[in-house]
Amino acid sequence: MLPVKDAESIILNLVKSLKLEDTEIVGLDAAVGRILAAPVTSKLDFPYWDNSAMDGYAIRYEDVKDSNPNNPVTLEVVEEIPAGCPPKVTLTTGQAARIFTGAMMPNGADTIVIQENTQKEGNKVKILSAPQPQEFVRHKASFYQAGTPMLQPGIKIGAAEIAVLATAQCTQLTVYRLPKVAILSTGDELVSPDSPLQPGQIVDSNQYALASLVAQSGAIPIKLGIIPDKPQILKSAIKRAINSTDIVLSTGGVSVGDYDYIDRLLAELGGEIHIRSVAVKPGKPLTVATFANDCLYFGIPGNPVSALVSCWRFVLPALKKLSGLANNYQPAFVKAITRGDLRAGGKRETYLWGRLHLVNGNYEFVLAGGSHSSGNLINLAQTNGLAVVPIGEKLLAAGTEVNVMQVGLPLVD
Ligand code: AMP
Ligand code: MG
């Protein structure tokens, strides 16, 4: 049994990120959530030109530097410059231009006096207090210089990046294609959620859970359905999956039962098996194999909680690396105080599901009530953290600090 950390690093080393030929061009509207595949530079400076950060008056600092409420300087207002209208006049000594936020600075002006510090009198304005030199001027190129790097490849595009790209008029982007992930559920006992349940049957929840996890992480889930525990049928389903997708997730059939065929079939199909089991609970039987075409295969245990924990802990980091992200593949862990005792067997790194609460700026972990059997998925609903009990520990007592892996729901709601 491999320690969790070793399994994680073996998996991440096996993953080959998508290559530069695995890219496509998308418009801004389709870019959110995608991974940038090429650096972005803009031909435009930002700000595009000197402009005012406030409503007020564009002036020459030298004219007003000694202004004060008792001795205000009076300037002649020679122009009004709304945003979007290029100024026409060059200011000379003793002159001001009425200006509004975002409007271009007129030639000759170097400073803005906010309107709250002025008093208008006809076509004159009194400056009631002296500004700082160049105050409230947003200088051309002071935030970004044309031609310099703007966004690096390997970042995920979110709302902030979309704003930057729109501002730079970069409307076509090179992004990595979305990875394809095949999902198949193995087991003679399985039926789909919409089939009547016969005695002894179990509803296939894994297919739906894993497909939603894959979709949430920005990849394309390809649901291949329920495959019976019949070696020939299973073999051809696996073969089809590894030939058409980047990652294959199968659940069930990786344990030591008489009907657990996955490892044998992977070897028969030319797969190289790198991991067979991990010292983790739930989720001990985990098969990880690679194929000559770079497809990565995860044979995940069938128990519904084991399946999700294995995916959160091992599959999602692999998927992130594959997708072209430059870094931050590992799950996020936070330190939390556990409100109740956390118990484990001590032989495997144990993940206990529950809920993180933010209390006065500190996280507290509340273990989900009910059974922590890997077959009980009911109390997994509405959890957002997996508290980790390390190997060698049998009890983390209430009030102790624990590491909690963030999963599922957002941490703060
Ligand atoms: P296995 O890993 O095939 O030995 O299955 C372990 C347990 O998980 C058994 O109780 C299975 O019935 C159950 N199980 C297997 N696959 C699924 C699935 N796709 N959805 C829900 N439960 C499953
Ligand atoms: Mg099975």
CSV table of all heavy atoms in Angstrom, one decimal, residues 1-4 276-280 284 347-348:
chain,number,residue,atom,x,y,z
A,1,MET,N,0.8,-1.2,0.0
A,1,MET,CA,0.0,0.0,0.0
A,1,MET,C,0.9,1.3,0.0
A,1,MET,O,1.7,1.4,0.9
A,1,MET,CB,-0.9,0.0,1.3
A,1,MET,CG,-2.2,-0.7,1.1
A,1,MET,SD,-3.3,-0.3,2.4
A,1,MET,CE,-2.4,-0.8,3.9
A,2,LEU,N,0.6,2.1,-1.0
A,2,LEU,CA,1.4,3.3,-1.1
A,2,LEU,C,0.9,4.4,-0.2
A,2,LEU,O,-0.3,4.6,-0.1
A,2,LEU,CB,1.3,3.9,-2.5
A,2,LEU,CG,2.2,3.4,-3.6
A,2,LEU,CD1,1.7,4.0,-4.9
A,2,LEU,CD2,3.6,3.8,-3.3
A,3,PRO,N,1.8,5.2,0.5
A,3,PRO,CA,1.3,6.3,1.2
A,3,PRO,C,0.6,7.3,0.2
A,3,PRO,O,1.0,7.4,-1.0
A,3,PRO,CB,2.5,7.0,1.8
A,3,PRO,CG,3.6,5.9,1.8
A,3,PRO,CD,3.2,5.0,0.6
A,4,VAL,N,-0.4,8.1,0.7
A,4,VAL,CA,-1.2,9.0,-0.1
A,4,VAL,C,-0.2,9.9,-0.9
A,4,VAL,O,-0.4,10.2,-2.1
A,4,VAL,CB,-2.2,9.8,0.7
A,4,VAL,CG1,-2.8,10.9,0.0
A,4,VAL,CG2,-3.3,8.8,1.3
A,276,ARG,N,-1.6,-0.1,-7.3
A,276,ARG,CA,-2.7,-1.0,-7.1
A,276,ARG,C,-3.5,-0.7,-5.9
A,276,ARG,O,-4.7,-1.0,-5.8
A,276,ARG,CB,-2.2,-2.4,-7.1
A,276,ARG,CG,-1.7,-3.0,-8.4
A,276,ARG,CD,-1.3,-4.4,-8.3
A,276,ARG,NE,-0.5,-4.8,-9.4
A,276,ARG,CZ,-1.0,-5.3,-10.5
A,276,ARG,NH1,-2.2,-5.5,-10.6
A,276,ARG,NH2,-0.2,-5.6,-11.5
A,277,SER,N,-2.8,-0.2,-4.9
A,277,SER,CA,-3.6,0.2,-3.7
A,277,SER,C,-2.9,1.3,-2.9
A,277,SER,O,-1.6,1.4,-3.0
A,277,SER,CB,-3.8,-1.0,-2.8
A,277,SER,OG,-2.6,-1.4,-2.2
A,278,VAL,N,-3.6,2.1,-2.2
A,278,VAL,CA,-3.1,3.2,-1.5
A,278,VAL,C,-3.5,3.1,0.0
A,278,VAL,O,-4.7,2.7,0.2
A,278,VAL,CB,-3.7,4.5,-2.1
A,278,VAL,CG1,-3.1,5.8,-1.4
A,278,VAL,CG2,-3.4,4.6,-3.6
A,279,ALA,N,-2.7,3.6,0.8
A,279,ALA,CA,-3.0,3.5,2.3
A,279,ALA,C,-3.9,4.6,2.6
A,279,ALA,O,-3.5,5.6,3.3
A,279,ALA,CB,-1.7,3.6,3.1
A,280,VAL,N,-5.1,4.5,2.2
A,280,VAL,CA,-6.1,5.6,2.4
A,280,VAL,C,-7.4,4.9,2.7
A,280,VAL,O,-7.7,3.8,2.2
A,280,VAL,CB,-6.2,6.5,1.1
A,280,VAL,CG1,-6.7,5.8,-0.1
A,280,VAL,CG2,-7.1,7.7,1.4
A,284,LYS,N,-9.0,2.3,-0.6
A,284,LYS,CA,-7.7,1.6,-0.7
A,284,LYS,C,-7.4,1.0,-2.0
A,284,LYS,O,-6.4,1.1,-2.6
A,284,LYS,CB,-7.7,0.5,0.4
A,284,LYS,CG,-6.5,-0.3,0.4
A,284,LYS,CD,-6.4,-1.2,1.6
A,284,LYS,CE,-7.1,-2.5,1.3
A,284,LYS,NZ,-6.9,-3.6,2.3
A,347,LYS,N,-4.0,2.6,10.5
A,347,LYS,CA,-3.1,1.9,9.5
A,347,LYS,C,-3.1,2.7,8.2
A,347,LYS,O,-2.2,2.5,7.4
A,347,LYS,CB,-3.6,0.5,9.3
A,347,LYS,CG,-3.4,-0.4,10.5
A,347,LYS,CD,-3.2,-1.9,10.1
A,347,LYS,CE,-2.9,-2.8,11.2
A,347,LYS,NZ,-3.9,-3.0,12.2
A,348,ARG,N,-4.2,3.4,8.0
A,348,ARG,CA,-4.3,4.1,6.7
A,348,ARG,C,-4.7,5.6,6.9
A,348,ARG,O,-5.3,5.9,8.0
A,348,ARG,CB,-5.4,3.5,5.8
A,348,ARG,CG,-5.1,2.2,5.3
A,348,ARG,CD,-6.2,1.7,4.4
A,348,ARG,NE,-7.2,0.9,5.0
A,348,ARG,CZ,-8.5,0.7,4.5
A,348,ARG,NH1,-8.8,1.3,3.4
A,348,ARG,NH2,-9.3,0.0,5.2
